[in-house]
Amino acid sequence: MPTMSHNESETEVLLALAEVCHHMHLRNLMAAGDGNASWRFPDGRIAMTPTGVSKENLSPQDFAWLGPDGEVLRGRPSSERLMHLAVYRHCPEARCVLHAHPPTAIACSLAHPEWEEVPGTAMPEVILAAGRIPVVPYANPGTPALGEVLVPYLPEHRLMLLPRHGGIAWGESVAEVRSGMERLEHVCHILRMALGMGGFSPLPEEDLQVLRARRASLGPRLR
């Protein structure tokens, strides 16, 4: 995935968004018409994946366009656009939002409705790459509530698990959100295996403090 500057053309952005959607589809993180991705340009316009379209063969001309306030300028944007708009309104640094349906992460939310966050204190990579990964309250897809439930977690958290639904990642590049979504699924896959082998234990508190301090020094980006 190429690193994108603040001066990339619209075509470069749309190609990168299409590429990350292809990647998510190939990894079974976006099946059929599931999931959506968007990019906010400096003038406030937002390019978004169209509703109900498979991400397998998405092309730049397929994208819909929204105005800065969410008004539809062209095409048929995802019915879950209010989730993206909530992120953009509360996170000035957000340039890209990705929502996918990682199966292991969703399965974990079904099996463990008590989770308030993805258990990450057993693995240093979780803390260093994402900090905490909260599990937000459930909201029906396609409703205003899907955006509203994110607000208490913004802008502190760039990666969240949507119970029974999927994950959402936001960041300053397409590469960042792709890394975040892959991280969510990978972590939940490891947790599922550990639980099947008898469970897992957290790292000692002194190690957690060191890892959290290092995460703070690295900054908020997903890795």
Side-chain angles (χ1 to χ4, degrees):
M1 180 69 63
T3 300
M4 302 176 69
S5 72
H6 285 266
N7 298 312
E8 63 278 327
S9 70
E10 288 184 6
T11 300
E12 289 172 325
V13 167
L14 298 181
L15 283 170
L17 280 178
E19 182 182 343
V20 78
C21 288
H22 296 164
H23 178 77
M24 293 288 119
H25 176 83
L26 288 172
R27 294 202 58 181
N28 197 35
L29 304 180
M30 282 183 171
D34 293 346
N36 32 76
S38 67
W39 180 276
R40 178 169 59 180
F41 288 88
D43 63 5
R45 291 177 306 131
I46 298 167
M48 179 170 284
T49 49
T51 186
V53 174
S54 172
K55 309 308 182 293
E56 183 178 10
N57 297 307
L58 197 68
S59 62
Q61 58 266 32
D62 293 325
F63 282 85
W65 288 86
L66 303 173
D69 296 323
E71 66 275 21
V72 178
L73 303 177
R74 191 178 75 199
R76 297 178 62 227
S78 169
S79 62
E80 295 177 336
R81 58 186 176 274
L82 294 178
M83 181 168 53
H84 294 242
L85 293 171
V87 172
Y88 290 130
R89 287 177 183 139
H90 290 87
C91 307
E93 294 180 323
R95 303 185 73 207
C96 189
V97 178
L98 175 66
H99 164 54
H101 292 193
T104 309
I106 295 173
C108 285
S109 77
L110 296 174
H112 298 281
E114 76 281 3
W115 284 4
E116 295 184 357
E117 64 180 82
V118 176
T121 56
M123 290 173 279
E125 291 81 4
V126 180
I127 299 170
L128 294 176
R132 290 179 54 241
I133 307 174
V135 181
V136 307
Y138 175 78
N140 283 328
T143 66
L146 195 59
E148 293 165 1
V149 296
L150 300 179
V151 174
Y153 302 90
L154 302 173
E156 181 180 359
H157 300 286
R158 297 192 179 200
L159 180 61
M160 292 160 276
L161 175 57
L162 310 176
R164 303 176 182 270
H165 186 188
I168 185 168
W170 70 268
E172 299 166 54
S173 69
V174 175
E176 182 180 359
V177 298
R178 184 183 74 167
S179 293
M181 197 59 62
E182 290 179 342
R183 180 73 60 187
L184 175 61
E185 177 67 358
H186 186 64
V187 166
C188 287
H189 180 67
I190 293 171
L191 291 171
R192 181 181 69 105
M193 289 193 296
L195 288 167
M197 296 175 182
F200 53 87
S201 60
L203 289 160
E205 184 58 34
E206 57 267 30
D207 290 326
L208 292 174
Q209 291 179 6
V210 170
L211 291 165
R212 288 165 180 156
R214 185 176 174 196
R215 167 68 183 173
S217 70
L218 290 171
R221 294 189 182 187
L222 300 171
R223 293 169 173 81

